[in-house]
Amino acid sequence: MNARDYAIQCIKDEAQAVLDLIPKMDDDFDRAVELIMQCKGKVIVTGVGKSGHIGAKIAATLASTGTPSFFVNPLDVYHGDLGVMAQGDVVVAISNSGQTDELLRFIPMVLHFGIPIIAMSGNPQSLLAKYSTCHLNVSVEKEACPLNLAPTSSTTATLVMGDALAVALMERRNFKPQDFAQFHPGGELGKRLLTTAQDVMITEHLPMLTADMHLGEAIIHVSKGKLGLGVAMKDDCIEGMITDGDIRRAMEKWSAEFFDRTVSDIMTRTPKTVSPDTKIADVQKLMNKYKIHNVLVVDSGNHLLGIVDRYACVL
């Protein structure tokens, strides 16, 4: 086999290892979810070596999806980090063999605090499984490594089990995109779900028109506004809106008569509007639904506050 063939076989082996987890899902998984749901403190994930690296990722995933959690290396516990644990916490302990010495020496300290242990290992008969409150079986038939030595399929299976735990907890908590955004305020999703129309709307030099304004004059206002639209106003309230597309179509329709026509002849009398506190993600959905490039931001009295254009939705 060439290099690519080995790589393809590796992917197949790891994919199969993940699928093999399904029949191993039992009541202990449900118990693990309930333990974390009832946890009054923190979820402390721990593991050594490659299991530790996987544990750190699982802790990060749990933390970003609504479960207060962090990773602790059991080696650090012997040097002062024991203070991070308290009654009310839950420990997720990871070891493929379930016999890792550094991890097992950490277990009596956990039990002394009366903290429940969720074990993830590939050996249901191990000491770790024996002393755990519930055991998640992540055993694999073989590693994807051609020597069957390097942690490959086993670490993938463990990572997937951690993701399954996080997703199950999200469902139990009815975790919404808005909740996710709260934990990711700096990301694109967070910005779209937390930013409002008021935060991005244009408020200066708005292209204001009147319904009886001739289209020749309206073109000038629309051009100066640089938004591709003009808003027809009367007594500070919106009467309608025209776009540069409306103007082009009117030119084609009326030719020489175009300059005799007024804004009222072509304006949309019910333009799409949003309130100032509308999330920018919802504004984007509105634009996509109606295939428009701008929405008007109005108050409860239909007074124009600003305009949001499509570019403002690209955060």
Side-chain angles (χ1 to χ4, degrees):
M1 291 195 302
N2 61 30
R4 187 184 303 175
D5 292 331
Y6 281 113
I8 291 172
Q9 187 59 50
C10 172
I11 293 171
K12 287 181 177 179
D13 289 344
E14 296 203 18
Q16 189 59 53
V18 170
L19 291 174
D20 289 344
L21 289 176
I22 296 174
K24 297 168 188 168
M25 303 284 282
D26 56 18
D27 291 344
D28 269 16
F29 185 87
D30 296 327
R31 280 191 283 270
V33 171
E34 287 306 314
L35 276 175
I36 296 176
M37 284 295 297
Q38 301 303 321
C39 177
K40 303 299 183 183
K42 313 166 293 295
V43 173
I44 301 171
V45 185
T46 187
V48 179
K50 301 297 189 297
S51 294
H53 295 308
I54 297 299
K57 193 276 178 184
I58 291 174
T61 300
L62 289 170
S64 69
T65 53
T67 300
S69 60
F70 58 89
F71 175 78
V72 170
N73 189 319
L75 301 176
D76 294 332
V77 171
Y78 308 124
H79 301 284
D81 283 2
L82 188 61
V84 301
M85 292 193 304
Q87 287 186 343
D89 292 343
V90 170
V91 164
V92 176
I94 303 172
S95 167
N96 184 44
S97 68
Q99 301 289 129
T100 306
D101 182 63
E102 298 91 340
L103 189 62
L104 292 177
R105 286 191 286 129
F106 169 61
I107 298 305
M109 307 177 196
V110 179
L111 297 176
H112 175 73
F113 280 98
I115 296 173
I117 299 171
I118 299 170
M120 283 191 196
S121 87
N123 183 1
Q125 307 305 318
S126 64
L127 287 176
L128 177 61
K130 177 181 177 181
Y131 288 111
S132 64
T133 309
C134 50
H135 177 257
L136 305 182
N137 186 350
V138 291
S139 60
V140 297
E141 183 176 340
K142 64 175 182 176
E143 298 288 2
C145 163
L147 301 177
N148 196 28
L149 294 174
T152 45
S153 298
S154 58
T155 50
T156 299
T158 304
L159 182 62
V160 170
M161 183 63 78
D163 287 342
L165 192 60
V167 168
L169 288 163
M170 290 173 70
E171 287 295 325
R172 283 293 309 276
R173 291 196 174 94
N174 196 28
F175 199 78
K176 300 295 185 183
Q178 290 80 3
D179 302 313
F180 188 86
Q182 295 286 349
F183 293 97
H184 300 77
E188 179 184 347
L189 176 63
K191 290 178 182 178
R192 286 196 293 111
L193 292 175
L194 298 178
T195 303
T196 65
Q198 186 173 10
D199 296 326
V200 299
M201 67 183 183
I202 299 166
T203 58
E204 297 181 354
H205 309 299
L206 299 179
M208 302 294 198
L209 315 173
T210 59
D212 59 358
M213 181 182 292
H214 284 91
L215 291 180
E217 183 181 355
I219 290 176
I220 297 173
H221 288 276
V222 171
S223 179
K224 286 183 178 179
K226 297 180 179 180
L227 293 174
L229 61 82
V231 185
M233 303 290 295
K234 183 177 180 179
D235 299 328
D236 290 331
C237 290
I238 298 169
E239 280 198 301
M241 185 180 82
I242 65 172
T243 67
D244 50 8
D246 295 327
I247 293 172
R248 287 194 300 272
R249 286 185 289 271
M251 285 180 172
E252 293 174 0
K253 179 180 180 180
W254 288 311
S255 301
E257 297 178 20
F258 172 81
F259 291 97
D260 296 326
R261 299 289 180 166
T262 65
V263 169
S264 63
D265 291 326
I266 66 170
M267 71 183 185
T268 300
R269 299 179 184 277
T270 56
K272 300 305 176 187
T273 62
V274 296
S275 64
D277 58 354
T278 303
K279 298 294 189 294
I280 203 68
D282 294 325
V283 174
Q284 191 174 44
K285 289 178 184 177
L286 185 68
M287 290 180 177
N288 292 338
K289 179 179 180 180
Y290 292 101
K291 296 180 173 59
I292 55 179
H293 298 283
N294 309 84
V295 295
L296 308 182
V297 184
V298 300
D299 62 16
S300 57
N302 202 36
H303 299 111
L304 182 64
L305 302 177
I307 299 172
V308 177
D309 67 9
R310 180 173 291 277
Y311 297 108
C313 297
V314 183
L315 298 175

